[in-house]
Amino acid sequence: GKGAPLAGLRALVTSGPTYEAIDPVRFIGNRSSGKQGHAIATALARAGAAVTLVCGPVALPDPAGVKVVRIESAREMLAACESALPADIAVFAAAVADWRVAQEAPQKIKKPAEGGAAPTLSFAENPDILASIAGLKQGRPALVIGFAAETEKVAEHAAAKRARKGCDWILANDVSAGTGTFGGDANTIHLVTENGTEDWPRLTKQQVAERLAARIGDHFGKKTT
Ligand code: C5P
């Protein structure tokens, strides 16, 4: 019905930061709040989709009516996403660390004696979860959506990212200084698809999520009728 445009569809959403362990007590993380990804999971569920939300450590409650899988590292996020397939829709809103610490120390790294050398960390590249799922030869979700946080030439850089990642849509947002997007409640989105760019007005993250859910409903509606 009209109230459940995504009924019968399965959705995978990623949200939040990843934490990459240095040792048993320390990690490298980032300031992603998870607000946008969680709002998208909520909106897709309210539109009738069966939603799995794979999320890093966030201070947010689990969205109602959503299956939540909590992970910490990028590699755990990829494994949880693969386990959540098959899905018709995949939205990658997580702020995944590009790098992990190459050798996680099995014990807490001790402060060296006075005058001792500071430790150094070396890094290994993390998997690109969006690109991995978008590039699946079998079981690729029909609609794969990524985000691009840009500070300049937003639509142009996002179109290049869409091609590079192999996804269908990119939601590009301007995170340049002063926009208050990161950790804030509002977003200015440019939706980049195969047909070009749609500029959305400044919206709250909840409004972005609802508009995206409606746009996804239109997309599947057009394809099936
Ligand atoms: O390359 P960049 O980090 O700007 O790409 C952002 C998009 O790719 C987001 O949708 C993000 O969730 C996704 N991504 C990912 N795995 C990574 C890096 C980014 O899924 N390792």
Side-chain angles (χ1 to χ4, degrees):
K2 197 166 188 292
L6 300 181
L9 296 175
R10 296 181 49 151
L12 162 66
V13 180
T14 71
S15 184
T18 64
Y19 283 5
E20 308 298 328
I22 298 170
D23 69 16
V25 300
R26 303 183 181 95
F27 62 87
I28 293 170
N30 64 68
R31 296 188 196 281
S32 170
S33 65
K35 284 178 184 169
Q36 186 64 83
H38 277 56
I40 290 168
T42 301
L44 294 176
R46 290 188 55 173
V51 181
T52 300
L53 172 63
V54 177
C55 72
V58 295
L60 300 171
D62 289 352
V66 168
K67 180 183 177 190
V68 179
V69 181
R70 290 180 174 269
I71 53 73
E72 291 202 338
S73 70
R75 287 190 293 178
E76 289 166 359
M77 182 173 275
L78 176 60
C81 287
E82 288 168 344
S83 295
L85 297 179
D88 305 287
I89 304 153
V91 184
F92 295 90
V96 182
D98 292 321
W99 306 93
R100 67 178 177 275
V101 176
Q103 307 279 345
E104 178 185 343
Q107 308 298 337
K108 184 180 173 188
I109 299 170
K110 290 298 192 188
K111 191 174 176 180
E114 186 134 358
T120 56
L121 295 175
S122 52
F123 293 90
E125 201 171 347
N126 266 333
D128 189 313
I129 299 162
L130 166 60
S132 302
I133 303 291
L136 286 176
K137 297 281 174 279
Q138 286 195 341
R140 182 193 188 277
L143 184 60
V144 178
I145 304 172
F147 273 81
E150 305 287 353
T151 59
E152 52 159 2
K153 298 182 189 165
V154 175
E156 186 182 323
H157 286 166
K161 182 162 294 180
R162 177 178 170 276
R164 197 165 62 241
K165 303 264 190 178
C167 59
D168 302 296
W169 296 358
I170 287 267
L171 292 175
N173 51 356
D174 186 345
V175 295
S176 52
T179 60
T181 297
F182 229 55
D185 289 312
N187 246 340
T188 305
I189 293 286
H190 310 272
L191 172 63
V192 180
T193 74
E194 62 177 356
N195 298 320
T197 302
E198 297 170 19
D199 300 317
W200 293 4
R202 188 158 180 81
L203 299 170
T204 67
K205 289 180 178 178
Q206 189 190 328
Q207 289 168 328
V208 167
E210 285 164 3
R211 189 163 173 150
L212 179 64
R215 190 69 180 69
I216 292 170
D218 290 346
H219 174 79
F220 280 93
K222 275 188 202 111
K223 274 174 66 165
T224 54
T225 57

